[in-house]
């Protein structure tokens, strides 16, 4: 992603922080999700997939892949997080797991929206001044 102005840089920093938070949350959730119950196995599989997607997203940004590719990966991350969240509906997952998945979904949406937001346009130097 190309950084042009302070607004874009601030947005990039917010997205980078959200990616880091998402990665840490998914890692911690994955540790707690390992268990013998069907919902735990299903959640663990979803979390493994999310960990892989966040790594792909990070690599796409680091390797300066085309913006469309980065946005598509972020969109996939949000969609897969939504699926993981829906997978535990009706299960015996504890409240902490449910809240953590809701937070992960909010972070994934923040990442996706941050990468989909249009870059602010630079103002011409003579904007607001009548031609003279």
């Amino acid at each position: 992603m190309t950084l042009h102005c302070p607004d874009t840089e601030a947005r990039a920093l917010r997205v980078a922080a959200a990616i880091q938070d998402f990665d840490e949350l998914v890692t911690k959730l994955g540790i707690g999700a390992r268990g013998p119950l069907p919902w735990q196995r299903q959640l663990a599989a979803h979390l493994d997939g999310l960990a892989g997607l966040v790594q792909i997203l990070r690599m796409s940004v680091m390797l300066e892949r085309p913006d469309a590719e980065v946005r598509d990966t972020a969109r996939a991350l949000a969609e897969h997080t939504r699926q993981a969240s829906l997978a535990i509906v009706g299960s015996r997952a504890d409240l902490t797991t449910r809240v953590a998945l809701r937070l992960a979904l909010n972070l994934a949406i923040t990442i996706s929206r941050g990468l989909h937001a249009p870059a602010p346009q630079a103002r011409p130097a003579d904007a607001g001044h009548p031609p003279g």
Side-chain angles (χ1 to χ4, degrees):
M1 307 245 3
T2 309
L3 301 178
H4 306 295
C5 66
D7 289 341
T8 304
E9 290 177 18
R11 186 177 70 218
L13 289 174
R14 285 191 304 270
V15 169
I19 291 170
Q20 180 65 30
D21 292 346
F22 181 89
D23 191 22
E24 289 176 13
L25 182 58
V26 166
T27 299
K28 287 181 172 64
L29 260 173
I31 292 168
R34 306 287 180 219
L37 300 175
W39 72 266
Q40 290 172 318
R41 289 192 307 267
Q42 186 178 22
L43 179 58
H46 280 288
L47 293 172
D48 288 344
L50 291 174
L53 276 172
V54 79
Q55 291 303 79
I56 291 170
L57 179 62
R58 282 186 167 176
M59 293 302 293
S60 297
V61 171
M62 287 176 21
L63 295 173
E64 297 181 2
R65 302 297 301 163
D67 289 351
E69 185 176 322
V70 174
R71 286 191 301 266
D72 288 346
T73 304
R75 187 179 306 115
L77 183 70
E79 182 56 33
H80 283 78
T81 306
R82 184 175 291 107
Q83 290 171 2
S85 182
L86 290 173
I88 64 165
V89 171
S91 73
R92 293 187 179 195
D94 58 56
L95 183 60
T96 303
T97 301
R98 292 175 189 276
V99 171
L101 270 174
R102 189 173 308 134
L103 176 58
L105 179 57
N106 288 338
L107 286 168
I109 290 169
T110 298
I111 293 164
S112 184
R113 286 182 180 163
L115 293 173
H116 280 83
Q121 298 297 319
R123 294 176 144 203
D126 61 346
H129 300 288

